[in-house]
Amino acid sequence: MKLGIQEAARLLSVSEKTVYRWVRGGLLPVYRVNGQYRFHRPELLAWAISRRMNVPEEVFHDSLRVTGVIPTLAEAVQRGGIFYRVQGGSKEDALRFVIEATRLGPQVESGYLLNLMLAREGVAPTAVGEGVAIPQLVYPNALELECPMVTLAFLEDPIDFDSFDGKPVQVLFCLFSASLRGYHILLNRLYYALRDPALQQSLRKQAGRDELLGHFARIESGLRKSVEAVTPD
């Protein structure tokens, strides 16, 4: 979804003048479309989260106002799996492991998928700060899956992911989905979850599966209650 200056300012809770200043300073991930500035919402959220900006909670509400079968974040992580002490000294090594470890089905060509993820890394950094990155596909819906999933991998040795805060990455979240809708919904929920201090601490210490899944369930439940509180009957 591409946003204009006004929408970007609303998402970031700043003035349009501030957005223009950040654009001129080369700080924001921005595109020129027919002479107009345009922003990709996921990239803008990643940018804001990496800088610990106070993004309004309402920004994340739409990820729960959906119809159809979209798994919770905890369910998606259970499907994708949590892996510890992942070896590899480069982005390519780490991403290859994640693709091969995730049960994506026999129809998936791992080399092709790896190239799509590396291509996305070349477009813009996928690190969101504090040692966390969310590697993505250049075509997020380039898979045939029955249900979206999220794979969480803890790297044995930190890897440089060109993070905004300069910190090497030791935690990877990789999202896999057959639809853009499912992909963006889970990505939005993940961005929201990563703001939670308790989850941040558990990620830093590479906590066990039950503890991590419990955090995801708790955070999304809290977001759902917040949505219900502001949604009229």
Side-chain angles (χ1 to χ4, degrees), residues 51-64:
R51 285 160 173 75
R52 298 296 182 263
M53 293 182 65
N54 187 27
V55 180
E57 184 172 286
E58 292 75 16
V59 167
F60 303 94
H61 285 181
D62 285 345
S63 68
L64 294 180

Side-chain angles (χ1 to χ4, degrees), residues 48-109:
I49 290 169
S50 71
R51 285 160 173 75
R52 298 296 182 263
M53 293 182 65
N54 187 27
V55 180
E57 184 172 286
E58 292 75 16
V59 167
F60 303 94
H61 285 181
D62 285 345
S63 68
L64 294 180
R65 294 192 182 106
V66 296
T67 58
V69 180
I70 300 293
T72 66
L73 190 54
E75 291 169 343
V77 173
Q78 281 184 303
R79 288 190 174 96
I82 302 176
F83 302 91
Y84 296 84
R85 305 190 69 175
V86 173
Q87 303 291 325
S90 67
K91 289 182 184 181
E92 184 173 346
D93 291 340
L95 295 178
R96 181 181 291 108
F97 172 88
V98 170
I99 291 169
E100 294 178 352
T102 306
R103 293 191 292 271
L104 295 173
Q107 78 283 0
V108 174
E109 185 181 339

Side-chain angles (χ1 to χ4, degrees), residues 81-84 206-216:
I82 302 176
F83 302 91
Y84 296 84
Q206 301 189 16
R209 290 175 173 81
D210 289 344
E211 180 175 329
L212 291 167
L213 292 174
H215 281 311
F216 292 130

Side-chain angles (χ1 to χ4, degrees), residues 7-193:
E7 295 162 311
R10 188 179 307 117
L11 185 148
L12 298 174
S13 290
V14 298
S15 68
E16 294 179 32
K17 183 178 180 180
T18 297
V19 173
Y20 276 115
R21 187 176 73 251
W22 286 344
V23 167
R24 287 194 296 269
L27 299 178
L28 284 177
V30 65
Y31 304 85
R32 290 298 290 268
V33 179
N34 297 325
Q36 301 294 319
Y37 290 122
R38 290 292 181 266
F39 307 86
H40 282 297
R41 192 176 190 277
E43 291 180 2
L44 209 56
L45 275 176
W47 182 89
I49 290 169
S50 71
R51 285 160 173 75
R52 298 296 182 263
M53 293 182 65
N54 187 27
V55 180
E57 184 172 286
E58 292 75 16
V59 167
F60 303 94
H61 285 181
D62 285 345
S63 68
L64 294 180
R65 294 192 182 106
V66 296
T67 58
V69 180
I70 300 293
T72 66
L73 190 54
E75 291 169 343
V77 173
Q78 281 184 303
R79 288 190 174 96
I82 302 176
F83 302 91
Y84 296 84
R85 305 190 69 175
V86 173
Q87 303 291 325
S90 67
K91 289 182 184 181
E92 184 173 346
D93 291 340
L95 295 178
R96 181 181 291 108
F97 172 88
V98 170
I99 291 169
E100 294 178 352
T102 306
R103 293 191 292 271
L104 295 173
Q107 78 283 0
V108 174
E109 185 181 339
S110 59
Y112 172 69
L113 209 57
L114 177 61
N115 287 335
L116 290 181
M117 297 191 86
L118 291 175
R120 176 60 181 80
E121 291 295 323
V123 173
T126 58
V128 295
E130 295 299 323
V132 179
I134 309 177
Q136 303 163 33
L137 301 175
V138 70
Y139 303 116
N141 59 333
L143 290 170
E144 293 181 12
L145 295 175
E146 291 185 2
C147 192
M149 60 180 68
V150 178
T151 302
L152 170 55
F154 292 100
L155 306 181
E156 177 72 7
D157 299 306
I159 295 174
D160 181 16
F161 263 75
D162 302 312
S163 176
F164 292 114
D165 63 4
K167 295 182 180 181
V169 163
Q170 201 159 9
V171 181
L172 299 180
F173 285 94
C174 295
L175 284 69
F176 301 101
S177 175
S179 72
L180 282 173
R181 176 173 172 271
Y183 173 84
H184 286 303
I185 287 170
L186 281 178
L187 183 60
N188 220 34
R189 294 178 187 175
L190 180 57
Y191 282 148
Y192 179 79

